[in-house]
Amino acid sequence: MIGMIKRLPAMIGGLLLACICMSAPQAQDDVTVYEYEPYRVKVWYCFDKSVTASEFSREAYLRDLGWAVDRTFAAAWSCSFQPAPSTLQPLITRDIDQAGIEQLSADDFVLLTSTENSKSKTIRTLVAALESLESIPVSSTNLKFLEQRLNQFPADDGLRALASKAATSDLLIADVLSGNQPALLLRKRQLPNDLENVRVLQTQLPGQIDWLLRSADKLMVMLISQKADALQVSVREFDCPMQYEGPVVTHTALRWESLARESASAMARAFAPVARVEDATSSSAELLLKAGGLILNTNNPASVHVGDLMHPIVRRDSRNGAPTLLQPQSWTFAAITDVASEELRANVYSYSNGPGLMGRRNRRTQRVLLKVRPVVDETEIEVVVRGTGKPQPGCFVYQRDLLTDEFTLLGQTDWRGRFPIAVPKRPVRVLPADVKQAKLRAQRELDALQAAEEQAKVSEASSETPESPLGEGSATNLAAEQKRQKLEEAVNTSDDEITLTHPLLWVYVKSGEQVLGSLSMVPGLKQVEVAELSDDTTRLEIEAFVRGFQVEIIDLIGLRNLLAARIKLHLKNDRIKEAEETLAELRALTNYSEMASRLVEIQSAFLDSGDLPRYAQLRVDRMFKSTRDLLQKYLQDGLVQESLEAIEAAKMTAASSADSSGEQP
């Protein structure tokens, strides 16, 4: 009740705005309020041949389903039901998992225009084509299909205008590709693979998928079939503005009377609420929930709760409103940390601590998030080389705890570059981004305070100054104790922890000692998630080669020192000849100049190829520098010259001793 009272101003504002829109019919189509606009949902239902229910039973089922949907979604949905198009029903009944947007739109009409022909090189919309071209060539088969579409929607002006311009022709696609002809009307399945020098214009005719994607927010495709003694309903959601295909959700009903209830439950599970990005930093975001102002019950499937996870998608449109970019942000998720009616706050976890949900904002760019719906028990990470798709076997996979930042080794990728990650059974907890940042600051201050106290105790113990009288400095001690208590309270954030509804993992992929990428993921969304990371093969080869070269340097240093020690031992025992022979061995060893030249050749051979990414280039440069320092420190020490001088001095000493002994009587 208190929540209802708090939301009364927003509800009254929404009702007033709706009244204003109703009083101005000429502007009604232009004025929409995101948080008070219901989802426009189209439901396509399809009965499999295995369903033997009568027409009367099917009508009763659809009526009960409509009531169940109204009770479940209330004002958040504006829903309409219709049978799936007859041309698409075989595709849906055969395999609803494979019935994606590309397959469903295969029979949509598109206009292929040449950019090399003077009549069509400036045409970018169907309306412009109808105004500029005298006629639009179309094959006889496609013309019949167009006439059937016109019979279904005889009142549509665009369809009638296109039909009036359509002319049967034996024109080939090659004529448009070569620029000999300006345009050709065909279906999307007939498009060539090579689209150079041509434009593909959407027609957006009634009854087509491209028209539906612009006129609805959600498309629900529902298949009812008979499996043994039970009825099965499979539902797949398509987000129309983002053209995003959701997973297939399947429910089973043992009786026909319960089928409507199970169908509504399946639709609720398949449905993904949408939120728009209002403001964002690299680690947090403020979101606005679509139709959030119309949701009065928190159990409504269109609502979003604290702990829910959402996945961002970016859409960018051309000047004509056609999407030029539809891209889910890979390895990026938002965890809802606060809900205030239609306003949401979220933590953002992105690939390798990237920009999160930040980005350029304009009228042609949309950034929205869809609630995640895991449907499988395990997800395999497939690590491949960016650009080539070559597998990267042997990479180490670590998990970083979102609360403690501790790392746990999960395993290594196999020969295919894959590593399976099961859905964790233990719940995952996070802290709101601002709370975690405050905790880290308090922890640093607390550590500094403890270090200062320890230093003060050491100073007092070593000082000969007598202890202060009782009460002196008590105010200072009290202030320090109060500060400590405040810091300890800030560090203790157990009450602020949020349990996520689905596990969110922060996975690190390492090649040797190099981190290739940090990936935030929700296990269970897909069977396989492909991670395109930098190729680390060249860096590993260079490091292995340089490590081997460093071992060779160390062996050479040890052998040089051993021979120098032998020379000293020979000289100590007056074995000058043996010392000279050992000096010859020392001189025969590889010297500094030769080793330095080899190092330069190795560096040039590897680095001139330009295959290293920047992070690897810096690491390899440091390795070569440390190797060069090793050469300069231990192979430029004048060991040969010192040994030679020691031998010469020993010879002179021996000669002087011989002369002295010869002069004695």
Side-chain angles (χ1 to χ4, degrees):
M1 181 63 69
I2 295 175
M4 291 281 293
I5 294 173
K6 289 182 178 179
R7 295 180 58 187
L8 276 176
M11 295 168 60
I12 294 172
L15 291 174
L16 289 175
L17 183 58
C19 294
I20 293 172
C21 294
M22 292 176 63
S23 64
Q26 71 277 6
Q28 187 172 354
D29 294 337
D30 299 329
V31 178
T32 58
V33 181
Y34 189 78
E35 62 269 34
Y36 289 100
E37 181 185 12
Y39 291 92
R40 299 167 298 168
V41 182
K42 303 290 185 182
V43 180
W44 284 358
Y45 59 87
C46 178
F47 290 96
D48 188 69
K49 294 180 180 179
S50 59
V51 179
T52 58
S54 65
E55 190 65 29
F56 177 80
S57 298
R58 297 185 182 190
E59 291 177 359
Y61 157 73
L62 293 173
R63 182 179 62 251
D64 294 343
L65 176 59
W67 291 342
V69 168
D70 288 341
R71 288 193 303 269
T72 303
F73 291 93
W77 267 28
S78 175
C79 184
S80 63
F81 293 82
Q82 68 182 71
S86 57
T87 55
L88 299 178
Q89 288 192 15
L91 173 64
I92 297 172
T93 56
R94 183 169 60 250
D95 190 354
I96 192 173
D97 284 288
Q98 299 300 321
I101 291 178
E102 183 178 353
Q103 290 74 25
L104 294 176
S105 62
D107 282 328
D108 285 2
F109 278 107
V110 293
L111 185 63
L112 190 69
T113 61
S114 172
T115 57
E116 301 296 318
N117 191 287
S118 59
K119 296 181 180 179
S120 60
K121 63 181 181 180
T122 60
I123 294 177
R124 285 177 169 80
T125 63
L126 177 63
V127 175
L130 293 174
E131 293 175 353
S132 303
L133 301 178
E134 296 179 0
S135 64
I136 297 179
V138 60
S139 67
S140 57
T141 303
N142 287 339
L143 182 59
K144 292 179 181 178
F145 196 81
L146 181 63
E147 291 172 349
Q148 293 176 3
R149 189 66 57 83
L150 181 60
N151 292 333
Q152 293 177 347
F153 304 94
D156 186 76
D157 294 336
L159 191 54
R160 286 188 299 174
L162 179 60
S164 65
K165 288 266 184 159
T168 305
S169 173
D170 295 331
L171 184 66
L172 300 176
I173 296 176
D175 296 325
V176 181
L177 294 175
S178 62
N180 295 330
Q181 295 294 333
L184 177 65
L185 184 67
L186 68 164
R187 282 183 276 180
K188 191 176 289 186
R189 67 168 74 247
Q190 299 169 332
L191 284 173
N193 295 327
D194 184 11
L195 296 176
E196 189 176 358
N197 299 328
V198 293
R199 291 193 186 96
V200 180
L201 307 182
Q202 294 181 354
T203 57
Q204 297 177 4
L205 301 176
Q208 296 189 163
I209 295 298
D210 57 2
W211 174 81
L212 180 64
L213 294 177
R214 289 180 66 92
S215 60
D217 295 312
K218 300 284 187 178
L219 170 64
M220 292 281 187
V221 178
M222 184 169 59
L223 172 64
I224 300 97
S225 58
Q226 182 86 32
K227 300 294 182 182
D229 295 332
L231 292 161
Q232 182 174 285
V233 56
S234 299
V235 181
R236 189 174 195 185
E237 182 221 65
F238 298 90
D239 187 86
C240 297
M242 294 297 138
Q243 300 185 20
Y244 187 77
E245 304 167 358
V248 176
V249 175
T250 301
H251 279 211
T252 301
L254 299 178
R255 297 182 304 153
W256 182 265
E257 291 77 9
S258 61
L259 181 61
R261 183 177 66 253
E262 292 297 334
S263 299
S265 298
M267 293 172 67
R269 279 188 58 203
F271 175 73
V274 180
R276 186 177 68 191
V277 178
E278 295 294 297
D279 193 15
T281 66
S282 59
S283 60
S284 63
E286 296 180 2
L287 313 175
L288 188 64
L289 181 64
K290 182 173 177 60
L294 303 176
I295 300 172
L296 304 180
N297 187 350
T298 56
N299 293 326
N300 193 314
S303 63
V304 173
H305 306 96
V306 172
D308 284 345
L309 296 175
M310 306 190 79
H311 183 44
I313 305 175
V314 179
R315 169 174 172 154
R316 188 171 295 120
D317 292 340
S318 65
R319 294 179 180 177
N320 303 313
T324 59
L325 175 68
L326 291 165
Q327 182 179 356
Q329 287 188 242
S330 301
W331 310 104
T332 302
F333 293 92
I336 304 301
T337 58
D338 185 51
V339 176
S341 185
E342 65 273 11
E343 298 178 356
L344 314 174
R345 290 187 62 86
N347 288 357
V348 179
Y349 303 92
S350 59
Y351 166 78
S352 293
N353 295 321
L357 301 183
M358 296 190 300
R360 183 178 300 175
R361 299 180 61 184
N362 53 57
R363 292 187 302 173
R364 300 211 304 261
T365 302
Q366 302 178 46
R367 296 179 184 275
V368 303
L369 298 94
L370 273 65
K371 185 178 175 180
V372 301
R373 296 148 292 177
V375 292
V376 295
D377 297 329
E378 181 182 88
T379 296
E380 280 191 312
I381 291 181
E382 183 177 356
V383 182
V384 300
V385 176
R386 184 183 295 118
T388 65
K390 179 182 176 182
Q392 297 201 52
C395 293
F396 293 94
V397 180
Y398 291 82
Q399 178 186 345
R400 180 179 178 180
D401 191 277
L402 296 176
L403 269 182
T404 63
D405 291 335
E406 295 179 353
F407 286 87
T408 303
L409 176 62
L410 301 180
Q412 283 183 278
T413 56
D414 59 15
W415 61 274
R416 302 170 300 168
R418 291 190 177 188
F419 180 79
I421 297 181
V423 177
K425 296 181 180 179
R426 297 180 59 185
V428 176
R429 293 181 174 86
V430 298
L431 286 173
D434 53 347
V435 175
K436 187 170 185 178
Q437 292 172 2
K439 177 182 178 179
L440 294 176
R441 288 195 299 268
Q443 186 65 58
R444 287 194 295 267
E445 292 183 21
L446 186 60
D447 292 342
L449 182 61
Q450 291 175 347
E453 290 177 352
E454 292 293 334
Q455 183 64 33
K457 290 180 181 179
V458 172
S459 300
E460 289 178 3
S462 60
S463 175
E464 297 181 357
T465 306
E467 294 184 1
S468 302
L470 184 63
E472 186 175 333
S474 59
T476 304
N477 295 335
L478 180 60
E481 186 62 27
Q482 290 176 347
K483 182 178 181 181
R484 171 190 286 275
Q485 290 179 357
K486 289 183 179 180
L487 293 176
E488 289 177 348
E489 290 175 0
V491 170
N492 184 13
T493 56
S494 57
D495 294 338
D496 298 311
E497 294 178 5
I498 296 172
T499 302
L500 302 181
T501 54
H502 299 290
L504 173 67
L505 303 185
W506 204 350
V507 175
Y508 280 67
V509 179
K510 295 181 67 176
S511 176
E513 296 299 322
Q514 181 65 46
V515 176
L516 298 183
S518 61
L519 315 171
S520 60
M521 64 172 296
V522 179
L525 284 183
K526 295 181 181 179
Q527 294 283 358
V528 179
E529 290 277 10
V530 179
E532 296 186 348
L533 304 178
S534 301
D535 187 5
D536 205 43
T537 305
T538 304
R539 183 191 66 82
L540 290 176
E541 291 178 359
I542 295 175
E543 286 197 3
F545 207 97
V546 174
R547 295 294 184 196
F549 189 77
Q550 290 176 347
V551 170
E552 187 177 346
I553 293 174
I554 293 173
D555 290 343
L556 180 60
I557 293 171
L559 186 56
R560 281 163 51 89
N561 291 334
L562 176 62
L563 294 177
R566 286 180 179 176
I567 291 173
K568 291 180 180 179
L569 182 61
H570 290 321
L571 295 178
K572 182 178 180 181
N573 296 326
D574 297 330
R575 296 196 296 267
I576 297 178
K577 183 178 180 181
E578 287 82 352
E580 290 178 337
E581 292 175 354
T582 306
L583 178 62
E585 294 181 26
L586 180 60
R587 283 176 166 173
L589 295 178
T590 307
N591 57 30
Y592 167 79
S593 299
E594 294 172 347
M595 295 294 285
S597 299
R598 283 182 56 193
L599 184 63
V600 171
E601 292 175 0
I602 294 171
Q603 187 172 7
S604 300
F606 279 110
L607 300 187
D608 288 348
S609 61
D611 295 334
L612 283 175
R614 186 173 181 274
Y615 76 88
Q617 181 77 51
L618 296 175
R619 183 181 177 92
V620 169
D621 287 344
R622 287 195 296 268
M623 286 193 65
F624 277 110
K625 183 179 183 303
S626 63
T627 306
R628 195 172 293 108
D629 293 341
L630 188 66
L631 285 174
Q632 293 173 352
K633 183 175 181 180
Y634 293 102
L635 296 187
Q636 276 190 327
D637 54 2
L639 191 61
V640 175
Q641 185 63 31
E642 291 176 3
S643 300
L644 177 61
E645 292 176 355
I647 292 175
E648 293 297 331
K651 286 182 178 180
M652 293 178 62
T653 302
S656 300
S657 300
D659 293 342
S660 299
S661 60
E663 292 176 357
Q664 291 180 0

